[in-house]
Amino acid sequence: MEFPEELVRGSIVPIVLSLLRERPMYGYEIVKLVNARSNGALEWKEGTLYPALHRLQAAGKIKSQWRDAPDAEGGRKRKYYTITPSGLADLGQKVDEWSNFTSAVQKVLRGA
Amino acid sequence: MEFPEELVRGSIVPIVLSLLRERPMYGYEIVKLVNARSNGALEWKEGTLYPALHRLQAAGKIKSQWRDAPDAEGGRKRKYYTITPSGLADLGQKVDEWSNFTSAVQKVLRGA
DNA sequence: TATTATGCCTCGCTATACAAGGTATCGCAA
DNA sequence: TTGCGATACCTTGTATAGCGAGGCATAATA
């Protein structure tokens, strides 16, 4: 589907925080999961996600921990991210913001 | 309401094209109209809109024409913009894109 | 005459998506 | 054991665009 960068911008942070609310995840997993859940509509790139994770961590919204992959899966060490209380608060705010924003745009687009 | 810049990004062009489909408008009018129609939720700035109009014109999506303000209103000359056929085609595509995008984001946010 | 609103514009700062490139580890097949 | 693909992480450079801040001109109004 390949959406233009201007659209993608605002969605990265809310989506990451929302996923991490479900359970801890590592970067590579997030990329694959987003692509899967959107049925390929959102094609996230590693070069986008990794810096975003670092920014969120620097801002105290998430924290990380290196862990081995479970024996059943194998593979190299993974950096698991979990959401912090501050990140949770942010998530709520950003989801509201997202819905307020899209509805404001709809209003103008529909000529209300 | 003051939405963050990352959210605003993707919405400028679709909104401008959509408004110009209704009728020709000038920049200052568009700023005020967007603010009004969104009930102040979208607070567009001139420093955002004017360059965007110039980019759209350079891309052939809109064209401009200087006209006097009608006697009833007064004021200085205005630069009216009208949408071109290419801009109309773009508009349709971008509105679809917008709705596809927001629905894809919703899917991930809701954990579908 | 001074102020306010209208109406246009540009410069500089900043943030960030993404392409491109790199490193390391593991499982598996030739 | 060597090679390869998948997994998993990272950084650098480029391009773009919102917006604060400033500026200019014109018209109505106080």
Side-chain angles (χ1 to χ4, degrees):
Chain A
M1 194 79 53
E2 195 68 28
F3 293 106
E5 182 240 304
E6 323 90 63
L7 282 187
V8 171
R9 280 205 175 217
S11 63
I12 306 274
V13 168
I15 288 180
V16 167
L17 293 180
S18 165
L19 292 178
L20 293 185
R21 186 178 44 180
E22 294 180 22
R23 57 181 165 83
M25 294 185 192
Y26 56 99
Y28 195 81
E29 177 185 18
I30 293 178
V31 171
K32 304 294 177 194
L33 185 61
V34 167
N35 295 351
R37 283 214 185 153
S38 66
N39 298 318
L42 306 177
E43 309 171 49
W44 280 19
K45 313 300 185 330
E46 296 179 41
T48 300
L49 181 61
Y50 286 122
L53 288 173
H54 300 159
R55 284 194 297 271
L56 282 171
Q57 182 164 31
K61 307 304 177 186
I62 62 180
K63 56 185 181 174
S64 66
Q65 182 194 9
W66 285 98
R67 266 196 281 151
D68 285 319
D71 290 353
E73 297 174 23
R76 54 166 286 186
K77 268 184 188 295
R78 298 163 175 176
K79 197 170 180 181
Y80 280 88
Y81 289 92
T82 48
I83 193 167
T84 65
S86 162
L88 266 179
D90 237 46
L91 171 59
Q93 194 258 326
K94 282 193 184 308
V95 168
D96 284 354
E97 197 172 67
W98 173 269
S99 91
N100 288 336
F101 178 73
T102 54
S103 100
V105 171
Q106 285 302 329
K107 262 184 207 141
V108 181
L109 280 184
R110 289 167 194 276
Chain B
M1 195 79 53
E2 195 66 28
F3 294 106
E5 181 241 304
E6 323 91 63
L7 281 187
V8 171
R9 280 203 176 220
S11 62
I12 307 274
V13 168
I15 288 180
V16 168
L17 294 180
S18 165
L19 293 178
L20 294 184
R21 186 179 44 180
E22 293 179 23
R23 56 182 165 82
M25 294 185 192
Y26 56 99
Y28 195 80
E29 178 185 16
I30 293 178
V31 171
K32 304 293 179 194
L33 185 60
V34 167
N35 295 351
R37 284 212 184 156
S38 66
N39 298 318
L42 306 177
E43 307 172 51
W44 279 18
K45 313 301 185 327
E46 297 178 43
T48 300
L49 181 61
Y50 287 123
L53 288 172
H54 301 160
R55 284 194 298 271
L56 282 170
Q57 182 164 30
K61 307 303 177 187
I62 62 181
K63 57 185 181 171
S64 66
Q65 182 193 10
W66 285 97
R67 265 196 282 151
D68 285 318
D71 290 353
E73 297 175 23
R76 53 166 287 185
K77 269 183 187 294
R78 299 162 175 176
K79 198 171 180 181
Y80 280 87
Y81 290 92
T82 49
I83 192 167
T84 64
S86 162
L88 266 179
D90 237 47
L91 171 59
Q93 193 258 326
K94 283 195 184 304
V95 168
D96 284 354
E97 197 172 68
W98 173 268
S99 90
N100 288 335
F101 178 73
T102 54
S103 99
V105 171
Q106 285 303 330
K107 264 184 204 140
V108 181
L109 279 184
R110 289 167 194 275

